[in-house]
Amino acid sequence: MNHGPDGWWPWMAEPVREGVEDGIQWRIMANDVLFLWQGYAHIPDGHVRRHLNADGIEPLVDVYGGVAYGPDRQGRIGFDTLQGNSSVIGLDGENLDALRRQLCERMGWPWVEPHKWTCDKVEKETKRMAARIAANDTRPRKEGHEWAGRCCSSISTG
């Protein structure tokens, strides 16, 4: 599979938000097909935990629902909000629970009142994951190195 110009996979090419938290790159994606948000963070080359698999990384980052993606060859890990108790608010602010309720009814699955996810809540959890990656790196930090985050979203996500 080809990577985009910045090394992220094609489905990660248009993040809703992205930035840097404690020196760790992060991105938020909105999957409007599966009605979920996805948060990703990059474990950089040389990080002392980069060699771990998802099961080894999970206790270190303690992210919602567990590590659902990665680590891939570039060191990215991610989580999603497609859990049994998750609700999703679409980019346009639409509550998509009615569609999920219909799916549960058709499939014969029990309906559980969901946790309401917004882009802001996913951003907070993604930044927390990135900060935990940084906190679990025991390499010495370079003095005077400036880390700056950015939010590139032009979409109002509430």
Side-chain angles (χ1 to χ4, degrees):
M1 183 176 282
N2 294 328
H3 299 277
D6 62 356
W8 292 83
W9 292 102
W11 71 85
M12 297 181 201
E14 296 184 32
V16 174
R17 294 183 184 168
E18 63 183 344
V20 178
E21 184 75 17
D22 292 339
I24 303 298
Q25 294 176 338
W26 58 269
R27 280 191 177 177
I28 298 172
M29 307 306 295
N31 187 324
D32 59 355
V33 175
L34 298 175
F35 313 123
L36 67 105
W37 295 98
Q38 299 160 304
Y40 296 94
H42 179 251
I43 302 172
D45 288 334
H47 189 288
V48 297
R49 310 289 188 215
R50 171 96 182 231
H51 67 283
L52 296 175
N53 63 20
D55 290 336
I57 291 171
E58 168 56 31
L60 302 175
V61 296
D62 186 33
V63 69
Y64 173 79
V67 174
Y69 176 83
D72 62 18
R73 288 179 291 169
Q74 286 70 37
R76 288 179 295 267
I77 63 170
F79 74 99
D80 63 53
T81 60
L82 190 59
Q83 308 296 325
N85 66 336
S86 297
S87 177
V88 176
I89 306 302
L91 290 175
D92 61 359
E94 180 185 358
N95 184 330
L96 301 171
D97 286 343
L99 293 173
R100 292 187 66 209
R101 185 183 296 269
Q102 289 173 3
L103 176 64
C104 287
E105 288 172 4
R106 275 188 253 161
M107 300 301 289
W109 299 337
W111 174 255
V112 177
E113 193 59 39
H115 175 81
K116 304 287 186 194
W117 282 101
T118 63
C119 188
D120 288 341
K121 289 179 181 180
V122 174
E123 179 177 341
K124 183 177 179 180
E125 183 69 358
T126 304
K127 286 180 174 180
R128 191 179 73 77
M129 178 174 63
R132 297 276 301 168
I133 291 169
N136 280 286
D137 190 356
T138 57
R139 294 177 298 166
R141 295 246 180 187
K142 293 181 181 177
E143 290 298 319
H145 190 83
E146 293 293 325
W147 303 107
R150 65 185 173 97
C151 181
C152 63
S153 175
S154 60
I155 302 169
S156 175
T157 56

